[in-house]
Amino acid sequence: TRQKFANICFDYGLDRVQSSAFLGRLTSNRRQELFRKLQKTLGDGRGAVRLFVIGDRDFSQQLQFDTGMWT
């Protein structure tokens, strides 16, 4: 299920920021569409989906530090 979720998120142009966390810009309609698709994929299985909406102002002020691949 996690890989199915990841593929769906990638289809929506989101970037992976942790193994089960994705980040990107979506319109309200695309966000609702994504949420419904993830809910349908999960079905009656165990798990949870949370979408956090971050305003443009806060999103543009994010800080990022990349050191490369983890070993």
Side-chain angles (χ1 to χ4, degrees), residues 7-64:
N7 290 336
I8 293 169
C9 289
F10 293 143
D11 288 346
Y12 278 74
L14 302 179
D15 295 316
R16 186 188 299 263
V17 293
Q18 287 186 348
S19 63
S20 296
F22 296 84
L23 179 68
R25 293 179 183 266
L26 296 172
T27 64
S28 177
N29 288 342
R30 292 281 286 171
R31 188 171 53 247
Q32 291 173 16
E33 180 183 295
L34 170 63
F35 194 72
R36 282 193 300 270
K37 192 173 284 192
L38 294 173
Q39 282 180 310
K40 184 177 179 181
T41 301
L42 183 60
D44 292 332
R46 290 181 53 205
V49 175
R50 292 183 182 96
L51 263 59
F52 295 92
V53 178
I54 302 171
D56 284 335
R57 181 172 172 259
D58 293 321
F59 188 85
S60 66
Q61 293 182 28
Q62 67 179 296
L63 301 175
Q64 182 173 327

